[in-house]
Amino acid sequence: MVDIGLFGLIMVAIAAGFVLGWRQRGRRLQQENQHYGPKYFKGLSYLLNEQADSAVDAFIESLEVNSDTLETHLALGNLLRRKGEIAKATRIHQNLLARPSLTTPQLHEAQLELARDFIRAGLLDRAEGLLHELVDVNSQYKSEALTHLIEIYQDEKDWEKAIEAANQIGQRRFGRNTGERAIARAHFCCELAEDAMERNDLLTARRQLQKALGFDRQSVRASLLWGQLEHGQGNEREALKILQRIPHQDPELVVESLELVCACYERLGDSKGLQRYLEELLAQYPSSSLVIKMAEQVRWARDDYAAADFIAEHLRQRPTIKLLNRLVELYLLHSEGRARDNLQLLKQLVDQVLEAKPSHHCRKCGFTGNQLHWLCPSCKTWGSITPITGVEGE
Ligand SMILES: [Zn+2]
């Protein structure tokens, strides 16, 4: 059975075509008889008989393509694509491109829409070809074409080409997206740095990280990678210098640097330095993960009871499930009999709650997940995901 929405959509398009045809009736009566004649009413008949495919064909054949009707064709094509009817949308846009009566900007608009159909259908090579043509002829849709090319290269993980396309988007089109584009370019460089680190090409990695920070001085990802690189080379002091920029770059991401910071101080054997740094962080950027890290220091310096007291003290000020979980774990180590059974039960419940709750969310679209994605899988924004705060998070 044909979808009611699609039925309505094509009905509206045909009705719009009818109105447009009526307006032109006086000056082109003869043409109208030719173009809005039997096929047009055949289209309506297909709709009434719930045959959507035939209705789209009839629409294409019945409504002449010209400047007056172009918008109707484009609107129907785009709505079909949004509904997931990609083949039908493609047919409508290809029909437009085959019309020499349209002006060059109108043809470019149809070409851009066709490229969007191909992207939606996963035919990225075909989309790329159409978009490149729009860029090469300096079309008025160049900026949109480059934006789609960047999306394609991101999907294909072709970061060099993504940077190249981003560099081609003219300054005049940057507008309020300047920040977002700079952040995206910084992430492309970080991707290249990561690739270089995997190949052990540290010179290229450092160069890409430098470039990333050039695009976005607040790039926590660049600092984390650079810290990781220097730590891997045994340059702990250098690594710490870089990692200690993170609280100023984005306080919400401090927790992502804690493991590495602790590893650097530990390798230096500088437990006092670590304690001092963690205390500074706690005063300015408190989080459950930070309290747990500090409790570990207390545990090594003293014992489990002192660590549990430390957590209990912070649990009063900062009630979170994570802290409660750690406190129960520490008490479990020293309990016996019935108390142990009860604590075990409590631990199981807390574990279930923690497992059911996501740890990260997207600041832009609200997507939630259990790991830090640099590119939001939902809204495709770079650097928008952060740890969740509050009772169920940090
Ligand atoms: Zn998002």
Side-chain angles (χ1 to χ4, degrees):
M1 189 180 150
V2 69
D3 182 278
I4 291 170
L6 178 60
F7 178 87
L9 194 64
I10 300 173
M11 196 64 159
V12 168
I14 290 187
F18 185 80
V19 171
L20 287 166
W22 183 262
R23 278 169 50 196
Q24 295 165 43
R25 184 167 173 263
R27 52 192 158 103
R28 286 194 321 210
L29 191 59
Q30 202 177 350
Q31 276 182 8
E32 186 196 293
N33 286 339
Q34 193 181 337
H35 294 292
Y36 298 93
K39 282 177 186 163
Y40 194 82
F41 292 102
K42 207 169 175 181
L44 281 175
S45 145
Y46 284 135
L47 275 175
L48 295 173
N49 289 308
E50 300 188 346
Q51 290 173 262
D53 278 326
S54 305
V56 170
D57 288 337
F59 169 75
I60 290 173
E61 285 175 33
S62 65
L63 186 59
E64 186 194 351
V65 176
N66 57 42
S67 296
D68 292 325
T69 62
L70 178 71
E71 286 308 316
T72 309
H73 283 266
L74 286 171
L76 180 61
N78 298 351
L79 284 166
L80 284 166
R81 182 175 66 236
R82 255 179 266 151
K83 284 184 60 64
E85 302 278 354
I86 315 294
K88 294 187 187 86
T90 304
R91 224 154 64 223
I92 286 180
H93 293 134
Q94 277 173 332
N95 173 55
L96 294 180
L97 278 180
R99 303 304 170 114
S101 55
L102 295 181
T103 64
T104 305
Q106 287 169 338
L107 286 169
H108 286 172
E109 190 176 0
Q111 185 163 339
L112 181 69
E113 295 304 338
L114 183 60
R116 286 173 173 156
D117 296 339
F118 286 146
I119 291 173
R120 198 56 209 283
L123 302 169
L124 299 186
D125 282 356
R126 296 182 72 178
E128 198 182 330
L130 292 175
L131 295 168
H132 266 302
E133 281 174 24
L134 291 174
V135 173
D136 292 345
V137 299
N138 209 14
S139 151
Q140 71 180 90
Y141 299 101
K142 181 178 173 181
S143 185
E144 285 92 336
L146 283 165
T147 302
H148 287 305
L149 280 170
I150 293 170
E151 287 162 7
I152 291 174
Y153 297 140
Q154 274 179 192
D155 282 349
E156 293 174 339
K157 301 196 184 304
D158 193 336
W159 309 113
E160 294 278 9
K161 282 190 181 171
I163 292 175
E164 206 179 296
N167 288 342
Q168 282 188 68
I169 297 184
Q171 289 296 328
R172 71 188 172 86
R173 304 288 299 193
F174 261 29
R176 63 195 166 92
N177 284 329
T178 309
E180 272 186 24
R181 296 244 164 81
I183 290 168
R185 281 194 274 188
H187 279 280
F188 299 156
C189 295
C190 287
E191 293 283 352
L192 289 169
E194 265 184 339
D195 290 348
M197 280 164 75
E198 268 174 38
R199 298 192 307 271
N200 213 25
D201 178 359
L202 302 188
L203 189 69
T204 303
R206 285 193 179 95
R207 207 168 52 225
Q208 289 298 343
L209 292 171
Q210 189 74 61
K211 273 172 76 178
L213 288 164
F215 284 128
D216 175 20
R217 284 168 56 83
Q218 311 303 319
S219 174
V220 170
R221 187 183 185 184
S223 298
L224 277 173
L225 281 171
W226 210 328
Q228 196 182 318
L229 186 154
E230 299 302 345
H231 173 64
Q233 293 302 297
N235 305 328
E236 312 303 337
R237 292 278 172 215
E238 184 60 26
L240 284 172
K241 212 169 93 188
I242 293 160
L243 293 169
Q244 287 172 359
R245 290 181 201 149
I246 291 175
H248 312 288
Q249 289 176 315
D250 188 345
E252 285 187 62
L253 291 175
V254 165
V255 289
E256 307 294 337
S257 68
L258 292 178
E259 286 289 332
L260 199 49
V261 164
C262 290
C264 292
Y265 275 112
E266 273 160 26
R267 203 179 274 172
L268 285 169
D270 185 2
S271 57
K272 281 202 174 132
L274 174 60
Q275 198 182 339
R276 214 168 31 241
Y277 180 63
L278 295 181
E279 276 168 10
E280 275 172 32
L281 285 183
L282 188 66
Q284 293 183 67
Y285 316 106
S287 67
S288 299
S289 297
L290 182 57
V291 171
I292 291 169
K293 279 273 170 239
M294 292 180 78
E296 280 308 291
Q297 299 298 308
V298 175
R299 195 176 169 212
W300 290 120
R302 295 167 66 194
D303 56 27
D304 291 346
Y305 296 103
D309 287 346
F310 182 84
I311 289 182
E313 187 192 325
H314 285 277
L315 192 58
R316 281 186 208 102
Q317 301 160 18
R318 194 177 186 81
T320 69
I321 299 170
K322 254 183 164 177
L323 284 183
L324 176 66
N325 187 44
R326 189 64 192 132
L327 186 64
V328 173
E329 278 173 353
L330 287 168
Y331 276 118
L332 256 175
L333 295 171
H334 301 278
S335 58
E336 288 171 355
R338 205 159 164 184
R340 185 181 169 79
D341 292 344
N342 289 340
L343 277 175
Q344 195 72 53
L345 181 67
L346 181 60
K347 165 94 179 111
Q348 277 172 8
L349 290 171
V350 173
D351 280 345
Q352 280 172 15
V353 173
L354 280 176
E355 267 172 40
K357 298 290 175 193
S359 59
H360 290 75
H361 71 152
C362 173
R363 282 184 276 214
K364 194 166 178 187
C365 75
F367 166 87
T368 56
N370 274 321
Q371 57 172 305
L372 174 69
H373 294 278
W374 292 113
L375 178 66
C376 174
S378 176
C379 68
K380 305 283 176 195
T381 303
W382 286 101
S384 59
I385 292 194
T386 56
I388 292 174
T389 52
V391 177
E392 293 170 358
E394 289 295 339

CSV table of all heavy atoms in Angstrom, one decimal, residues 7-18 36-52 54-60 62:
chain,number,residue,atom,x,y,z
A,7,PHE,N,1.8,9.9,-0.9
A,7,PHE,CA,0.6,10.2,-1.7
A,7,PHE,C,0.3,11.7,-1.7
A,7,PHE,O,0.1,12.3,-2.7
A,7,PHE,CB,-0.5,9.3,-1.1
A,7,PHE,CG,-1.9,9.5,-1.8
A,7,PHE,CD1,-2.2,8.8,-2.9
A,7,PHE,CD2,-2.8,10.4,-1.3
A,7,PHE,CE1,-3.4,9.0,-3.6
A,7,PHE,CE2,-4.0,10.6,-1.9
A,7,PHE,CZ,-4.3,9.9,-3.1
A,8,GLY,N,0.3,12.2,-0.4
A,8,GLY,CA,-0.1,13.6,-0.2
A,8,GLY,C,0.9,14.5,-0.9
A,8,GLY,O,0.6,15.5,-1.6
A,9,LEU,N,2.2,14.1,-0.8
A,9,LEU,CA,3.3,14.9,-1.4
A,9,LEU,C,3.2,15.0,-2.9
A,9,LEU,O,3.2,16.1,-3.5
A,9,LEU,CB,4.6,14.1,-1.1
A,9,LEU,CG,5.9,14.7,-1.2
A,9,LEU,CD1,6.0,15.9,-0.3
A,9,LEU,CD2,7.0,13.7,-0.9
A,10,ILE,N,2.9,13.9,-3.6
A,10,ILE,CA,2.8,14.0,-5.0
A,10,ILE,C,1.6,14.7,-5.4
A,10,ILE,O,1.5,15.4,-6.4
A,10,ILE,CB,2.9,12.5,-5.6
A,10,ILE,CG1,4.2,11.9,-5.2
A,10,ILE,CG2,2.8,12.6,-7.1
A,10,ILE,CD1,4.4,10.4,-5.6
A,11,MET,N,0.5,14.5,-4.6
A,11,MET,CA,-0.7,15.2,-4.9
A,11,MET,C,-0.5,16.7,-4.9
A,11,MET,O,-1.0,17.4,-5.8
A,11,MET,CB,-1.7,14.8,-3.8
A,11,MET,CG,-3.2,15.1,-4.1
A,11,MET,SD,-3.7,14.1,-5.5
A,11,MET,CE,-5.4,14.2,-5.2
A,12,VAL,N,0.2,17.2,-3.8
A,12,VAL,CA,0.5,18.6,-3.7
A,12,VAL,C,1.3,19.1,-4.9
A,12,VAL,O,1.0,20.1,-5.5
A,12,VAL,CB,1.3,18.9,-2.4
A,12,VAL,CG1,1.8,20.3,-2.4
A,12,VAL,CG2,0.3,18.7,-1.2
A,13,ALA,N,2.3,18.3,-5.3
A,13,ALA,CA,3.2,18.6,-6.4
A,13,ALA,C,2.4,18.7,-7.7
A,13,ALA,O,2.5,19.7,-8.5
A,13,ALA,CB,4.3,17.6,-6.6
A,14,ILE,N,1.5,17.8,-7.9
A,14,ILE,CA,0.7,17.8,-9.1
A,14,ILE,C,-0.3,19.0,-9.1
A,14,ILE,O,-0.5,19.7,-10.1
A,14,ILE,CB,-0.1,16.5,-9.4
A,14,ILE,CG1,1.0,15.4,-9.7
A,14,ILE,CG2,-1.1,16.6,-10.4
A,14,ILE,CD1,0.5,14.1,-10.1
A,15,ALA,N,-0.8,19.3,-7.9
A,15,ALA,CA,-1.7,20.4,-7.7
A,15,ALA,C,-1.0,21.7,-8.0
A,15,ALA,O,-1.5,22.6,-8.7
A,15,ALA,CB,-2.3,20.4,-6.3
A,16,ALA,N,0.3,21.8,-7.5
A,16,ALA,CA,1.1,23.0,-7.8
A,16,ALA,C,1.3,23.1,-9.3
A,16,ALA,O,1.2,24.2,-9.8
A,16,ALA,CB,2.4,22.9,-7.0
A,17,GLY,N,1.6,22.0,-9.9
A,17,GLY,CA,1.8,22.0,-11.3
A,17,GLY,C,0.6,22.5,-12.0
A,17,GLY,O,0.7,23.3,-13.0
A,18,PHE,N,-0.6,22.1,-11.5
A,18,PHE,CA,-1.8,22.5,-12.2
A,18,PHE,C,-2.0,24.0,-12.1
A,18,PHE,O,-2.3,24.6,-13.1
A,18,PHE,CB,-3.0,21.7,-11.5
A,18,PHE,CG,-4.3,22.0,-12.2
A,18,PHE,CD1,-4.6,21.3,-13.3
A,18,PHE,CD2,-5.2,22.9,-11.7
A,18,PHE,CE1,-5.9,21.5,-13.9
A,18,PHE,CE2,-6.4,23.2,-12.3
A,18,PHE,CZ,-6.7,22.5,-13.4
A,36,TYR,N,-0.1,19.4,-20.4
A,36,TYR,CA,-0.9,19.1,-19.2
A,36,TYR,C,-2.1,18.2,-19.5
A,36,TYR,O,-3.0,18.2,-18.7
A,36,TYR,CB,-1.3,20.4,-18.5
A,36,TYR,CG,-0.2,21.2,-18.0
A,36,TYR,CD1,0.3,22.2,-18.8
A,36,TYR,CD2,0.4,20.9,-16.8
A,36,TYR,CE1,1.4,22.9,-18.4
A,36,TYR,CE2,1.5,21.7,-16.3
A,36,TYR,CZ,2.0,22.7,-17.2
A,36,TYR,OH,3.1,23.4,-16.7
A,37,GLY,N,-2.1,17.6,-20.6
A,37,GLY,CA,-3.2,16.9,-21.1
A,37,GLY,C,-3.4,15.5,-20.5
A,37,GLY,O,-3.4,15.4,-19.3
A,38,PRO,N,-3.6,14.5,-21.3
A,38,PRO,CA,-3.9,13.2,-20.8
A,38,PRO,C,-2.9,12.6,-19.8
A,38,PRO,O,-3.4,12.1,-18.8
A,38,PRO,CB,-3.9,12.3,-22.1
A,38,PRO,CG,-3.9,13.3,-23.2
A,38,PRO,CD,-3.4,14.6,-22.8
A,39,LYS,N,-1.6,12.9,-20.0
A,39,LYS,CA,-0.6,12.3,-19.1
A,39,LYS,C,-0.8,12.8,-17.7
A,39,LYS,O,-0.6,12.2,-16.7
A,39,LYS,CB,0.8,12.6,-19.5
A,39,LYS,CG,1.2,11.7,-20.7
A,39,LYS,CD,2.6,12.1,-21.1
A,39,LYS,CE,3.0,11.3,-22.4
A,39,LYS,NZ,4.1,11.9,-23.1
A,40,TYR,N,-1.2,14.2,-17.6
A,40,TYR,CA,-1.3,14.8,-16.3
A,40,TYR,C,-2.5,14.1,-15.5
A,40,TYR,O,-2.3,13.7,-14.4
A,40,TYR,CB,-1.7,16.3,-16.5
A,40,TYR,CG,-1.6,17.1,-15.3
A,40,TYR,CD1,-0.3,17.5,-14.9
A,40,TYR,CD2,-2.6,17.3,-14.5
A,40,TYR,CE1,-0.2,18.3,-13.7
A,40,TYR,CE2,-2.5,18.1,-13.3
A,40,TYR,CZ,-1.3,18.5,-13.0
A,40,TYR,OH,-1.1,19.2,-11.8
A,41,PHE,N,-3.6,13.9,-16.2
A,41,PHE,CA,-4.7,13.2,-15.6
A,41,PHE,C,-4.5,11.7,-15.3
A,41,PHE,O,-5.0,11.2,-14.4
A,41,PHE,CB,-6.0,13.5,-16.4
A,41,PHE,CG,-6.3,15.0,-16.3
A,41,PHE,CD1,-6.1,15.8,-17.3
A,41,PHE,CD2,-6.9,15.5,-15.1
A,41,PHE,CE1,-6.4,17.2,-17.2
A,41,PHE,CE2,-7.2,16.8,-15.0
A,41,PHE,CZ,-6.9,17.7,-16.0
A,42,LYS,N,-3.6,11.2,-16.2
A,42,LYS,CA,-3.2,9.8,-15.9
A,42,LYS,C,-2.4,9.7,-14.6
A,42,LYS,O,-2.6,8.8,-13.8
A,42,LYS,CB,-2.3,9.3,-17.1
A,42,LYS,CG,-2.3,7.8,-17.3
A,42,LYS,CD,-1.6,7.6,-18.6
A,42,LYS,CE,-1.5,6.1,-18.9
A,42,LYS,NZ,-0.8,5.8,-20.1
A,43,GLY,N,-1.6,10.7,-14.3
A,43,GLY,CA,-0.8,10.8,-13.1
A,43,GLY,C,-1.8,10.8,-11.9
A,43,GLY,O,-1.6,10.1,-10.9
A,44,LEU,N,-2.8,11.7,-12.0
A,44,LEU,CA,-3.8,11.7,-10.9
A,44,LEU,C,-4.5,10.4,-10.7
A,44,LEU,O,-4.7,9.9,-9.6
A,44,LEU,CB,-4.9,12.8,-11.3
A,44,LEU,CG,-4.5,14.2,-11.0
A,44,LEU,CD1,-5.6,15.2,-11.5
A,44,LEU,CD2,-4.2,14.5,-9.5
A,45,SER,N,-4.8,9.7,-11.9
A,45,SER,CA,-5.4,8.4,-11.8
A,45,SER,C,-4.5,7.4,-11.1
A,45,SER,O,-5.0,6.6,-10.3
A,45,SER,CB,-5.8,8.0,-13.2
A,45,SER,OG,-5.7,6.6,-13.4
A,46,TYR,N,-3.2,7.5,-11.4
A,46,TYR,CA,-2.3,6.6,-10.7
A,46,TYR,C,-2.3,6.8,-9.2
A,46,TYR,O,-2.2,5.9,-8.4
A,46,TYR,CB,-0.8,6.8,-11.2
A,46,TYR,CG,-0.6,6.2,-12.5
A,46,TYR,CD1,0.1,6.9,-13.5
A,46,TYR,CD2,-1.0,4.9,-12.9
A,46,TYR,CE1,0.4,6.4,-14.8
A,46,TYR,CE2,-0.7,4.3,-14.1
A,46,TYR,CZ,0.0,5.1,-15.1
A,46,TYR,OH,0.2,4.6,-16.3
A,47,LEU,N,-2.3,8.1,-8.8
A,47,LEU,CA,-2.4,8.4,-7.4
A,47,LEU,C,-3.6,7.9,-6.8
A,47,LEU,O,-3.6,7.3,-5.7
A,47,LEU,CB,-2.3,10.0,-7.2
A,47,LEU,CG,-1.0,10.6,-7.2
A,47,LEU,CD1,-1.1,12.1,-7.2
A,47,LEU,CD2,-0.2,10.1,-6.0
A,48,LEU,N,-4.8,8.1,-7.5
A,48,LEU,CA,-6.0,7.6,-6.9
A,48,LEU,C,-6.0,6.1,-6.8
A,48,LEU,O,-6.7,5.5,-5.9
A,48,LEU,CB,-7.2,8.1,-7.8
A,48,LEU,CG,-7.4,9.6,-7.8
A,48,LEU,CD1,-8.4,10.0,-8.8
A,48,LEU,CD2,-7.8,10.1,-6.4
A,49,ASN,N,-5.2,5.4,-7.7
A,49,ASN,CA,-5.1,4.0,-7.6
A,49,ASN,C,-3.9,3.5,-6.8
A,49,ASN,O,-3.6,2.4,-6.8
A,49,ASN,CB,-5.0,3.4,-9.0
A,49,ASN,CG,-6.3,3.5,-9.7
A,49,ASN,OD1,-7.4,3.1,-9.2
A,49,ASN,ND2,-6.3,4.1,-10.9
A,50,GLU,N,-3.3,4.5,-6.0
A,50,GLU,CA,-2.2,4.2,-5.1
A,50,GLU,C,-1.0,3.6,-5.8
A,50,GLU,O,-0.4,2.6,-5.3
A,50,GLU,CB,-2.7,3.4,-3.9
A,50,GLU,CG,-3.8,4.0,-3.2
A,50,GLU,CD,-4.2,3.3,-1.9
A,50,GLU,OE1,-3.7,2.2,-1.8
A,50,GLU,OE2,-4.8,3.9,-1.1
A,51,GLN,N,-0.7,4.1,-7.0
A,51,GLN,CA,0.5,3.6,-7.7
A,51,GLN,C,1.6,4.7,-7.7
A,51,GLN,O,1.6,5.5,-8.7
A,51,GLN,CB,0.2,3.2,-9.1
A,51,GLN,CG,-0.7,1.9,-9.2
A,51,GLN,CD,-1.2,1.7,-10.6
A,51,GLN,OE1,-2.3,2.0,-11.0
A,51,GLN,NE2,-0.3,1.1,-11.4
A,52,ALA,N,2.4,4.8,-6.6
A,52,ALA,CA,3.3,5.9,-6.5
A,52,ALA,C,4.3,6.0,-7.6
A,52,ALA,O,4.7,7.1,-8.1
A,52,ALA,CB,4.0,5.9,-5.1
A,54,SER,N,4.3,5.0,-10.7
A,54,SER,CA,3.7,5.5,-12.0
A,54,SER,C,3.3,6.9,-11.8
A,54,SER,O,3.4,7.7,-12.8
A,54,SER,CB,2.5,4.7,-12.3
A,54,SER,OG,2.8,3.3,-12.4
A,55,ALA,N,2.9,7.3,-10.6
A,55,ALA,CA,2.5,8.7,-10.4
A,55,ALA,C,3.7,9.7,-10.6
A,55,ALA,O,3.6,10.7,-11.2
A,55,ALA,CB,1.9,8.9,-9.0
A,56,VAL,N,4.9,9.2,-10.1
A,56,VAL,CA,6.1,10.1,-10.3
A,56,VAL,C,6.5,10.2,-11.7
A,56,VAL,O,6.8,11.3,-12.2
A,56,VAL,CB,7.3,9.5,-9.5
A,56,VAL,CG1,8.6,10.2,-9.8
A,56,VAL,CG2,7.1,9.6,-8.0
A,57,ASP,N,6.4,9.0,-12.5
A,57,ASP,CA,6.7,9.1,-13.9
A,57,ASP,C,5.7,10.0,-14.6
A,57,ASP,O,6.1,10.9,-15.4
A,57,ASP,CB,6.5,7.7,-14.5
A,57,ASP,CG,7.6,6.7,-14.1
A,57,ASP,OD1,8.7,7.3,-13.8
A,57,ASP,OD2,7.4,5.5,-14.1
A,58,ALA,N,4.4,9.9,-14.3
A,58,ALA,CA,3.4,10.8,-14.9
A,58,ALA,C,3.7,12.3,-14.6
A,58,ALA,O,3.6,13.1,-15.4
A,58,ALA,CB,2.1,10.4,-14.4
A,59,PHE,N,4.2,12.5,-13.3
A,59,PHE,CA,4.5,13.9,-12.9
A,59,PHE,C,5.6,14.4,-13.8
A,59,PHE,O,5.5,15.5,-14.3
A,59,PHE,CB,4.9,13.9,-11.4
A,59,PHE,CG,5.5,15.2,-11.0
A,59,PHE,CD1,4.7,16.3,-10.8
A,59,PHE,CD2,6.9,15.3,-10.8
A,59,PHE,CE1,5.3,17.5,-10.4
A,59,PHE,CE2,7.4,16.5,-10.4
A,59,PHE,CZ,6.6,17.6,-10.2
A,60,ILE,N,6.7,13.6,-13.9
A,60,ILE,CA,7.8,14.1,-14.7
A,60,ILE,C,7.4,14.4,-16.2
A,60,ILE,O,7.8,15.4,-16.8
A,60,ILE,CB,9.0,13.0,-14.7
A,60,ILE,CG1,9.6,12.9,-13.3
A,60,ILE,CG2,10.0,13.3,-15.7
A,60,ILE,CD1,10.6,11.8,-13.1
A,62,SER,N,4.4,15.0,-17.3
A,62,SER,CA,3.3,16.0,-17.5
A,62,SER,C,3.6,17.4,-17.2
A,62,SER,O,3.1,18.3,-17.9
A,62,SER,CB,2.1,15.6,-16.6
A,62,SER,OG,2.4,15.7,-15.3
